[in-house]
Amino acid sequence: MNDWIEVGSIDDIPILGSRVITTHLGDIAVFRNAKDEIFALNDRCPHKGGPLSQGLVHGRSVTCPLHNWVLGLENGQALAPDEGCTTAYPVKLHDNMVFISLQAR
Amino acid sequence: MREKLVLVGNGMAGVRTLEELLKIAPDKYDITVFGAEPYGNYNRILLSPVLAGEKTIDDIMLNDEQWYKDNNISLIAGKEVTEIDRIKRKVYATAGVAAEYDRLLLATGSNPFIIPVPGNDLAGVISFRDINDVNSMLDSAKTYKHAVVIGGGLLGLEAANGLMKQGMHVTVVHLHNTLMERQLDSVAGSMLQKSLEDRGLKFLMASSTEAILGDSRVKGVRFKDGLEIATDLVVMAVGIRPNKTLAEKAGLYCERGVIVNDTMQTYDPRIYSVGECVQHRGVAYGLVAPLFEQAKVCANHLARLGYSRYEGSVTSTKLKVTGIDLFSAGDFLGDQDCENIVMKDAARGVYKRIVVKNNRIKGAVLYGDTVDGAWYFQLLRDQTDVSDFRQQLMFGQAHLGDSGHGGQNAAAVMSDDMEVCGCNGVCKGEITKAITSKGLFTLDDVRAHTKASSSCGSCTGLVEQILASTLGGDYSVASHVKPLCKCTEHTHDEVQTAIKQQKLTSIRSVMDYMDWKSPDGCASCRPALNYYLIAFWPEQAQDDPQSRFINERAHANIQKDGTFSVVPRMWGGVTTPNELRAIADVYEKFKLKEMKVTGGQRIDLFGAKKHDLPAIWADLNSAGMVSGHAYGKALRTVKTCVGKEWCRFGTQDSTALGIELERVTWGSWMPHKFKMAVSGCPRNCAEATIKDFGVVCVDSGYELHVGGNGGVKVRATDLLCKVSSEADVIEYCAAYTQLYRENAHYLERTAPWLERVGLSYVKQQIVENSENRKELHKRFMMSQQYSQKDPWAERATEGVQQHEFTPLKQVI
Ligand code: SRM
Ligand SMILES: Cc1cc2nc3c(=O)[nH]c(=O)nc-3n(C[C@H](O)[C@H](O)[C@H](O)COP(=O)(O)OP(=O)(O)OC[C@H]3O[C@@H](n4cnc5c(N)ncnc54)[C@H](O)[C@@H]3O)c2cc1C
Ligand code: SF4
Ligand code: FES
């Protein structure tokens, strides 16, 4: 069972952008891509902890602002040849509102 | 139902074509591969290091059998295709295997040439082409002592070196007077011969083989001049012949090789061909780089994209003998209309020859110091006009600067544990290991896998050398055809032209018009497109914050811990007690962590939390300070010296002029960062001659200097011209800036830009054509109307981009 937490409206997140939610688990980056899909990742790059929320969003990926690793938004997995993974959290959209579950996938 | 593609020849060119095809059209074909050799696909180039005992067969596998399975390719290894039925569209192989095709790809490689002398079929006479040959050489080396290698070209020398490393006494027999006469002139050839002799190889030059002696196994070799030498092994490495047997038998038109057109199609439109078996525009290639270009074009047509063309290649070569640094490209002998630029330092073992015709490089031979090989090769392929820097040509591009690797410029003499990339801590051994074990071929591959040279880039020259000496050539694609990024086939120039001519004013319209391959670009192309749009259409184009790197989006520099630094502008480096007080107050109020005087004559505040930024800016704004753009591809600082107001040597008011220049140019977005300086006299205390635009005041006026750089690779400026009034300085500066803004590629600083377009071009645009200068100046001032708004004030007080600085929600 997921405990869904409402975090705000999709319109509060820029298209191809991200906003942060602060939690007891640390910062979580919530992304919105060009197709209005929503994703949430732990806001720490598996490389050296860069804040992924500050990265550039494209397709279903984000490029980390510190050293340009590319991470998949769905699963937090680094694009080969880089290796690493950050936690991805389940999200859903309901009437334009974004919900997140803090139980990691 | 999917179409059927059959590949004959499981070698480097054929499989590379499949790899390219799978990248762009993974589901188009059911693929069957026939290979006469009983393995997956391996890196034939690296057979030489295997023979020399530096690598193992396992190291050099490119695609193992699992790869074929993973990609649903049926591999029929160890079977030779013997017949093609073009009417039934079917191929037949040994042991009764057959397969039907809709498209057929022939990549049968080539066969070693066996000289027609008596005894050439004795046991112990072999060629050097495949794993089988290497294994029989390694076996021979275990039991026998003496070897003769016939052929003093690339392949022969690598075979000889390998056999010597395996403990054999090796004599190389060569028909000509110069080793590698197809790659080296006689000077370089004899330097090479000398150093190979020092290592223990023997040479018989200008000798022609008459017979190979022996009953069942080889015992010796006899030459035309009567000389006989005893040997237990003969390796023939005298050349290769395109393997066209199968094609010819099927009635395809062949000359020296299988004839193909620019789309890699044979005379039968269903049959394509790539690799060493091919003859394209009269040329058959024997190196991998051109074959890989062919593979890319062929894949494009197999995928039915149909826009790519192969137009032939210029090749370069390196000898893969550890410790020997040698590079050759193009027409290195030249004709009577060519000029030679030659440098020889016998004591250092260095020789360089560059062949130039009409101010364009035609060929180059480098021995001993090959660090500039990649640069010459690029100038050669691009046919760049070298007249502007001809004097420096011989001394090289100083590609490496001096940072990070202590002036190291010869990869060959580096040991495996020496650091190549100072930014990412990558050693030579890691790079060579990645090249062989991961099957890498290009600089980009190495960057992706090892990170070497992916940060500041100053070790690019070294990495290129290591690549070339591991793989025996330069695999980079000519730079003028280099696409902007992986999302497009188009170059920076093509994108710029389209944006200007088609009046494209949004990123979406550029991507649509130019058929972008990814849905919304990537972190490389989006910032570039955003820049081009606002630079070319300042009035119409909308800036897109989501296409900017975080620093430009948040108007502060991100730090490794995720906090930000804040640098307010200090016009010309001049400040006041009031400004300093405000900075000190901000530091304390927001509990910042450090304040530091920067190399650009202003103060940097570190450790700011992102959500504090607007409040910090508001405080700085109210003391009259604005953004210093220390984070932007934009005007950074204008460094000044005290000038004639105070200094006993000052000739002009350099401080005031610097401030004026900063007032005119601040806020302007650029392809890369842009720094200026004004010095009051030629003592040049503001270091104006390493700036993007520098002014050195003299008694009679102002010298204007351009294209300097003090960063990774130091470049002193070129003198643009001298002017006599401050007003002229401003006009020239604005015009020059605008020319750079309109002309350079995104992320190209003025130094490399100037080297690419040439000083003459810039002079012609700005100095010689006053009308053009005035136009450029006017366009610059027009665009400044839109960019001279303090981004800090907009965010601190006008509510712009608020969401950037606040969390969406706090969840407890
Ligand atoms: C703060 C400062 C160092 C200092 O403490 O003095 C600095 C700090 C950085 N420099 Fe610098 N550079 C600083 C003066 C310089 C200078 C000296 C100068 O300007 O006189 C140079 C050499 C001169 C030149 O550029 O020609 C310099 C050459 C570089 C380079 C290499 C550029 C090149 O073309 O080779 C980079 C990397 C880049 O831009 O890609 C760089 C990049 C950086 C970055 C932005 C690294 C990054 O991407 O995060 C650093 C940001 C730190 C921060 O958060 O503030 N910095 N940097 C200086 C800020 C000056 C200012 O007031 O704005
Ligand atoms: C020892 C050595 C060192 C080299 N060093 C370098 C170097 O440093 N740099 C460089 O650029 N190049 C080098 N080369 C050259 C490079 O290896 C070749 O240019 C390249 O391998 C050619 O690729 P290809 O696909 O055309 O042919 P190949 O790689 O030879 O592949 C052709 C394959 O087709 C198979 N085949 C042929 N006919 C049939 C048939 N009828 N049915 C089924 N299969 C068939 C063959 O068995 C072979 O496996 C070197 C070559 C050798 C031998
Ligand atoms: S401030 Fe400049 S020189 Fe210093 S570590 Fe950062 S980028 Fe390197
Ligand atoms: S911290 Fe993300 S790439 Fe280095």
Side-chain angles (χ1 to χ4, degrees):
Chain A
M1 256 301 284
N2 284 329
D3 280 332
W4 292 106
I5 305 168
E6 184 193 308
V7 294
S9 157
I10 185 172
D11 300 322
D12 295 333
I13 309 172
I15 297 174
L16 292 176
S18 162
R19 296 286 298 274
V20 168
I21 56 173
T22 54
T23 76
H24 62 284
L25 301 171
D27 285 1
I28 294 177
V30 184
F31 300 91
R32 173 182 180 185
N33 74 3
K35 294 191 176 135
D36 281 347
E37 293 172 311
I38 301 289
F39 307 90
L41 296 180
N42 178 8
D43 198 15
R44 286 179 57 81
C45 175
H47 178 221
K48 292 192 174 167
L52 298 172
S53 55
Q54 313 297 303
L56 218 119
V57 180
H58 44 95
R60 286 179 156 204
S61 314
V62 59
T63 299
C64 175
L66 293 197
H67 318 97
N68 293 331
W69 279 31
V70 177
L71 300 157
L73 290 174
E74 284 159 288
N75 51 15
Q77 201 85 43
L79 184 79
D82 295 322
E83 288 166 19
C85 186
T86 193
T87 314
Y89 294 94
V91 279
K92 66 174 186 184
L93 258 181
H94 195 260
D95 284 345
N96 256 5
M97 296 310 282
V98 179
F99 294 81
I100 184 168
S101 159
L102 296 187
Q103 271 108 32
R105 291 193 195 180
Chain B
M1 231 188 54
R2 298 206 284 193
E3 287 185 281
K4 294 191 201 64
L5 172 66
V6 170
L7 164 62
V8 181
N10 188 25
M12 297 190 73
V15 176
R16 180 66 167 225
T17 312
L18 296 185
E19 287 177 339
E20 296 280 359
L21 176 65
L22 292 171
K23 268 196 262 173
I24 48 180
D27 303 317
K28 191 154 179 60
Y29 294 100
D30 285 325
I31 303 174
T32 306
V33 177
F34 285 90
E37 294 183 74
Y39 321 95
N41 171 44
Y42 62 92
N43 192 342
R44 195 173 302 284
I45 294 181
L46 295 180
L47 286 177
S48 305
V50 171
L51 181 62
E54 294 163 3
K55 310 249 146 69
T56 65
I57 297 283
D58 282 346
D59 287 342
I60 68 168
M61 279 296 155
L62 287 171
N63 300 94
D64 55 14
E65 292 180 12
Q66 191 59 39
W67 177 85
Y68 295 84
K69 287 197 190 108
D70 291 347
N71 289 288
N72 287 323
I73 297 172
S74 39
L75 170 63
I76 304 177
K79 306 269 183 301
E80 189 181 335
V81 172
T82 47
E83 194 189 328
I84 306 170
D85 185 335
R86 286 165 50 202
I87 301 186
K88 292 211 186 99
R89 301 215 301 266
K90 205 166 169 184
V91 298
Y92 299 91
T94 42
V97 189
E100 290 179 354
Y101 66 82
D102 296 299
R103 312 263 137 187
L104 180 65
L105 175 57
L106 297 179
T108 47
S110 52
N111 295 320
F113 182 63
I114 304 294
I115 35 177
V117 290
N120 66 9
D121 52 353
L122 288 170
V125 180
I126 54 177
S127 54
F128 185 19
R129 181 72 196 172
D130 53 29
I131 291 185
N132 197 18
D133 295 329
V134 172
N135 283 337
S136 44
M137 282 192 253
L138 291 173
D139 282 346
S140 300
K142 283 189 199 126
T143 31
Y144 298 103
K145 279 236 125 31
H146 296 276
V148 165
V149 174
I150 305 182
L154 271 170
L155 215 55
L157 295 179
E158 289 182 9
N161 177 61
L163 290 169
M164 183 175 67
K165 288 270 177 73
Q166 296 298 336
M168 296 190 88
H169 300 285
V170 186
T171 305
V172 177
V173 180
H174 197 44
L175 195 59
H176 303 266
N177 271 316
T178 303
L179 291 179
M180 289 177 58
E181 76 288 346
R182 287 170 58 197
Q183 288 88 17
L184 299 183
D185 62 5
S186 56
V187 182
S190 51
M191 289 174 87
L192 172 65
Q193 185 175 341
K194 167 100 186 21
S195 63
L196 290 172
E197 278 166 353
D198 290 346
R199 288 155 178 255
L201 283 181
K202 289 210 185 66
F203 289 94
L204 266 182
M205 304 300 283
S207 298
S208 173
T209 309
E210 189 176 74
I212 296 175
L213 315 170
D215 309 324
S216 60
R217 186 176 175 100
V218 53
K219 290 217 178 74
V221 181
R222 187 171 66 232
F223 301 98
K224 293 239 165 88
D225 60 6
L227 180 73
E228 278 185 22
I229 54 175
T231 186
D232 313 308
L233 177 74
V234 170
V235 179
M236 292 222 190
V238 288
I240 51 172
R241 297 285 176 274
N243 180 3
K244 55 178 179 177
T245 327
L246 182 66
E248 233 163 16
K249 199 169 147 201
L252 293 174
Y253 180 61
C254 298
E255 285 172 12
R256 210 146 39 86
V258 184
I259 302 290
V260 294
N261 62 15
D262 286 2
T263 64
M264 306 315 295
Q265 236 165 358
T266 65
Y267 271 65
D268 179 337
R270 285 187 180 271
I271 305 183
Y272 291 77
S273 188
V274 292
E276 282 186 347
C277 56
V278 153
Q279 179 181 334
H280 170 267
R281 297 196 188 177
V283 186
Y285 296 93
L287 291 167
V288 167
L291 310 187
F292 282 1
E293 288 182 42
Q294 295 177 351
K296 192 159 189 182
V297 172
C298 185
N300 184 285
H301 290 279
L302 286 173
R304 296 289 167 79
L305 296 178
Y307 54 74
S308 197
R309 285 178 53 171
Y310 179 68
E311 299 178 18
S313 307
V314 190
T315 55
S316 74
T317 37
K318 288 239 5 176
L319 182 67
K320 302 193 298 300
V321 170
T322 308
I324 290 188
D325 240 339
L326 169 167
F327 176 91
S328 158
D331 173 11
F332 58 91
L333 292 174
D335 54 29
Q336 67 270 33
D337 300 329
C338 290
E339 302 136 42
N340 280 295
I341 310 180
V342 180
M343 199 274 283
K344 186 176 177 187
D345 182 343
R348 255 193 337 127
V350 173
Y351 171 73
K352 300 182 186 185
R353 172 171 177 176
I354 303 170
V355 180
V356 176
K357 187 171 177 174
N358 299 328
N359 281 316
R360 282 166 176 83
I361 296 186
K362 290 288 157 205
V365 177
L366 309 177
Y367 188 89
D369 175 1
T370 57
V371 69
D372 284 301
W375 182 49
Y376 296 137
F377 190 43
Q378 185 184 339
L379 294 172
L380 184 151
R381 283 181 310 184
D382 293 354
Q383 285 297 290
T384 309
D385 186 337
V386 298
S387 44
D388 277 337
F389 51 95
R390 197 175 151 134
Q391 305 98 293
Q392 288 103 345
L393 201 55
M394 183 48 80
F395 307 107
Q397 197 189 15
H399 218 339
L400 299 167
D402 276 326
S403 59
H405 14 72
Q408 186 71 47
N409 66 356
V413 301
M414 289 178 82
S415 62
D416 274 356
D417 57 359
M418 280 169 86
E419 185 171 79
V420 174
C421 175
C423 292
N424 297 299
V426 189
C427 300
K428 183 185 170 192
E430 284 174 66
I431 300 175
T432 35
K433 187 155 169 264
I435 295 172
T436 42
S437 66
K438 305 218 160 107
L440 312 181
F441 287 95
T442 65
L443 184 62
D444 285 344
D445 292 345
V446 174
R447 283 184 174 155
H449 281 87
T450 67
K451 303 288 178 246
S453 84
S454 66
S455 297
C456 81
S458 72
C459 59
T460 303
L462 272 182
V463 177
E464 278 169 336
Q465 276 190 85
I466 296 173
L467 247 179
S469 54
T470 314
L471 296 175
D474 184 322
Y475 294 90
S476 51
V477 179
S479 64
H480 62 267
V481 298
K482 199 167 174 187
L484 192 148
C485 74
K486 294 196 185 74
C487 305
T488 177
E489 296 289 332
H490 297 289
T491 61
H492 278 277
D493 287 325
E494 287 164 358
V495 171
Q496 288 179 326
T497 310
I499 293 176
K500 283 185 212 164
Q501 292 185 349
Q502 305 300 321
K503 297 206 169 51
L504 305 174
T505 58
S506 73
I507 293 181
R508 188 70 272 150
S509 60
V510 180
M511 289 182 174
D512 289 346
Y513 182 77
M514 305 199 81
D515 287 330
W516 235 246
K517 291 190 278 184
S518 57
D520 30 50
C522 69
S524 299
C525 57
R526 282 235 307 278
L529 294 183
N530 189 54
Y531 166 73
Y532 291 145
L533 292 167
I534 55 177
F536 302 157
W537 303 108
E539 259 176 294
Q540 295 84 355
Q542 273 286 329
D543 184 41
D544 175 19
Q546 299 314 135
S547 294
R548 283 185 181 268
F549 179 60
I550 178 62
N551 287 0
E552 292 187 354
R553 190 170 355 119
H555 291 273
N557 294 63
I558 196 163
Q559 306 296 311
K560 60 193 270 190
D561 64 355
T563 65
F564 287 81
S565 74
V566 174
V567 188
R569 199 167 282 289
M570 267 177 195
W571 306 94
V574 175
T575 184
T576 62
N578 183 38
E579 284 183 354
L580 292 176
R581 216 171 275 126
I583 290 175
D585 287 345
V586 159
Y587 179 90
E588 289 181 341
K589 178 168 166 191
F590 294 94
K591 300 200 169 50
L592 302 183
K593 296 283 190 281
E594 177 159 289
M595 60 202 293
K596 170 176 190 307
V597 175
T598 72
Q601 295 188 334
R602 46 203 194 163
I603 292 174
D604 200 346
L605 295 157
F606 291 94
K609 305 219 168 45
K610 195 179 182 193
H611 57 83
D612 283 338
L613 288 173
I616 292 176
W617 297 336
D619 286 4
L620 294 171
N621 278 161
S622 52
M625 282 175 278
V626 296
S627 164
H629 288 89
Y631 47 79
K633 308 295 172 220
L635 176 80
R636 294 282 173 95
T637 60
V638 182
K639 203 164 163 171
T640 68
C641 72
V642 283
K644 82 169 175 194
E645 285 295 287
W646 296 92
C647 177
R648 66 200 165 107
F649 296 119
T651 61
Q652 312 283 351
D653 190 350
S654 49
T655 317
L657 179 56
I659 294 175
E660 181 59 19
L661 283 175
E662 192 161 357
R663 295 260 175 224
V664 172
T665 50
W666 76 276
S668 162
W669 295 109
M670 312 261 197
H672 206 308
K673 59 189 177 194
F674 194 90
K675 300 178 178 181
M676 300 204 269
V678 187
S679 286
C681 83
R683 287 169 194 75
N684 194 13
C685 297
E687 300 167 320
T689 46
I690 52 161
K691 297 295 181 232
D692 296 279
F693 183 85
V695 183
V696 176
C697 302
V698 289
D699 207 43
S700 54
Y702 307 83
E703 286 174 7
L704 306 184
H705 293 262
V706 292
N709 196 319
V712 176
K713 185 188 145 203
V714 180
R715 181 183 197 276
T717 46
D718 289 307
L719 179 66
L720 180 69
C721 62
K722 207 177 130 186
V723 297
S724 54
S725 72
E726 288 199 359
D728 280 350
V729 177
I730 308 279
E731 180 176 306
Y732 278 72
C733 171
Y736 173 74
T737 310
Q738 185 65 8
L739 184 67
Y740 169 60
R741 295 180 76 235
E742 291 178 4
N743 192 280
H745 299 162
Y746 189 65
L747 293 191
E748 183 177 43
R749 265 190 92 170
T750 57
W753 169 65
L754 193 74
E755 285 181 1
R756 178 167 65 84
V757 300
L759 179 65
S760 327
Y761 167 78
V762 175
K763 279 188 170 161
Q764 176 204 321
Q765 293 286 311
I766 290 179
V767 185
E768 286 149 28
N769 185 341
S770 62
E771 212 163 294
N772 191 54
R773 177 176 69 243
K774 289 190 181 358
E775 281 302 315
L776 282 164
H777 173 248
K778 206 165 105 196
R779 284 207 292 283
F780 182 70
M781 298 316 285
M782 191 279 275
S783 100
Q784 282 297 74
Q785 286 172 27
Y786 300 89
S787 52
Q788 288 199 322
K789 276 186 224 131
D790 176 28
W792 287 0
E794 290 181 313
R795 282 153 187 80
T797 44
E798 295 166 30
V800 171
Q801 296 273 313
Q802 277 315 289
H803 60 77
E804 188 65 50
F805 304 97
T806 45
L808 182 59
K809 178 158 179 150
Q810 293 182 311
V811 180
I812 320 300

